[in-house]
């Protein structure tokens, strides 16, 4: 393992089930003593680092990919916070009452704890969110509903329109000024990811109608031959990490 993981157990949020939260500290964390780090919040925390805890038996190996990119100087050093899901994952990761409770949990409780315990860049320009599938959906909802907290989101194989979920109207019906956020989307071409393609297309079109520019505010990548799995997300993880944490 590159870096170091600290485990916070059974953190409780109002209206949702308690869950563990993992905090990955990058190589060289705390040196020099005054350095502060951006923070990336990731969904489905069981699958992010440790294969022994992964629901599918495979993990994203985020510590390995992020650590390597940081050591190579290709992305900024950052703290990565992995929030476990629960048996209520479908509701907690959707535009539902529990989903809104989960968003409050992330914004009001978890972020407050992380900013208080670690050397973070606490402002929106140092705060990002990422997830896949339903985790991508709630990551989008977090940045869309809380642009004062998050400046960018990475949504891998997002379930924007799937299984009764459809968040496209949320963007289509928005009447305010263009939100100052950046968005990364991707998907594969096999199985479920092929079904999710239409939702990606509709989301990008809706965002463009609101003034977002593909290639500037929005990045989309098509992973030819990729399926809907931790293995596929792990292989292309370097892309969203470069998008969120790349050096400018």
């Amino acid at each position: 393992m590159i870096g170091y993981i600290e485990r916070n157990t059974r953190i409780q949020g109002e209206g949702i089930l308690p869950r563990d939260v993992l905090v990955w500290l990058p190589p060289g964390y705390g040196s020099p003593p005054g350095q502060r780090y951006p923070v990336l919040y990731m969904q489905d925390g069981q699958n992010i680092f440790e294969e022994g805890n992964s629901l599918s038996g495979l993990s994203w190996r985020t510590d390995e990919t992020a650590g390597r990119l940081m050591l190579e100087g290709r992305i900024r050093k950052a703290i990565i916070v992995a929030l476990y899901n629960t048996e209520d994952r479908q509701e907690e990761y959707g535009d539902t009452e529990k989903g809104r409770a989960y968003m409050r949990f992330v914004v009001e409780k978890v972020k407050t704890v992380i900013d208080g315990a670690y050397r973070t860049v606490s402002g929106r320009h140092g705060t990002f969110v990422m997830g896949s599938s339903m985790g991508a959906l709630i990551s989008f909802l977090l940045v869309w509903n809380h642009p004062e907290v998050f400046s960018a989101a990475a949504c891998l194989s997002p379930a924007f329109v799937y299984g009764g979920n459809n968040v496209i109207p949320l963007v289509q019906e928005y009447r305010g000024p263009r939100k100052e956020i950046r968005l990364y989307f991707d998907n594969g071409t096999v199985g479920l990811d092929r079904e999710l393609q239409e939702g990606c297309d509709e989301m990008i079109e809706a965002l463009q109608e609101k003034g977002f520019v593909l290639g500037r505010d929005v990045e989309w990548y098509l992973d030819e031959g990729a399926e809907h799995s931790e293995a596929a997300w792990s292989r292309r993880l370097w892309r969203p990490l470069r998008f969120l944490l790349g050096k400018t």
Side-chain angles (χ1 to χ4, degrees):
M1 173 178 288
I2 301 175
Y4 175 74
I5 291 177
E6 295 184 350
R7 183 183 301 272
N8 300 271
T9 59
R10 309 298 288 174
I11 297 181
Q12 179 68 62
E14 184 177 349
I16 56 174
L17 294 172
R19 70 204 64 224
D20 289 0
V21 175
L22 304 179
V23 181
W24 180 80
L25 304 176
Y29 174 79
S31 179
Q35 183 171 352
R36 291 194 168 270
Y37 303 83
V39 183
L40 171 58
Y41 292 86
M42 297 184 69
Q43 320 306 325
D44 293 313
Q46 294 97 322
N47 304 334
I48 300 305
F49 303 116
E50 304 165 317
E51 296 196 345
N53 292 326
S54 173
L55 300 177
S56 68
L58 297 173
S59 81
W60 290 34
R61 297 186 175 182
T62 303
D63 57 310
E64 297 177 21
T65 300
R68 174 176 51 80
L69 292 173
M70 290 173 192
L71 290 172
E72 292 173 355
R74 297 170 66 189
I75 64 173
R76 290 174 286 166
K77 288 187 176 182
I79 296 167
I80 299 177
V81 179
L83 298 96
Y84 274 39
N85 61 39
T86 73
E87 62 192 59
D88 290 338
R89 179 179 184 271
Q90 289 294 110
E91 290 183 82
E92 290 177 350
Y93 284 2
D95 190 17
T96 66
E97 183 177 348
K98 285 188 177 179
R100 288 182 280 277
Y102 176 77
M103 287 190 280
R104 289 193 298 271
F105 169 67
V106 176
V107 169
E108 298 173 8
K109 185 160 190 176
V110 177
K111 186 176 187 301
T112 299
V113 169
I114 297 301
D115 287 340
Y118 300 96
R119 297 170 178 174
T120 69
V121 176
S122 60
R124 65 180 301 273
H125 291 293
T127 310
F128 314 104
V129 62
M130 184 192 299
S132 62
S133 193
M134 288 294 294
L137 174 59
I138 195 63
S139 294
F140 172 79
L141 290 172
L142 277 162
V143 76
W144 184 260
N145 290 314
H146 295 283
E148 78 284 0
V149 176
F150 304 97
S151 61
C155 306
L156 287 68
S157 303
F160 291 140
V161 181
Y162 184 76
N165 294 294
N166 186 352
V167 298
I168 309 301
L170 185 67
V171 177
Q172 294 172 330
E173 296 166 9
Y174 176 68
R175 295 294 179 263
R178 188 180 70 81
K179 294 176 184 275
E180 295 300 320
I181 56 176
R182 298 167 57 244
L183 297 159
Y184 169 95
F185 304 140
D186 69 25
N187 59 277
T189 59
V190 175
L192 178 55
D193 261 33
R194 184 175 182 179
E195 296 179 44
L196 297 175
Q197 173 75 62
E198 184 176 355
C200 277
D201 293 342
E202 291 181 8
M203 177 60 80
I204 291 171
E205 181 179 351
L207 288 165
Q208 289 176 312
E209 290 175 356
K210 300 302 177 182
F212 288 79
V213 177
L214 189 63
R216 186 190 69 189
D217 315 303
V218 179
E219 180 176 319
W220 174 67
Y221 172 69
L222 182 66
D223 193 356
E224 290 283 356
E227 70 286 358
H228 195 83
S229 71
E230 272 71 39
W233 300 322
S234 177
R235 285 194 297 270
R236 64 178 185 259
L237 177 60
W238 65 273
R239 291 180 177 276
L241 287 175
R242 287 286 298 271
F243 178 83
L244 297 174
L245 298 169
K247 295 184 175 181
T248 57

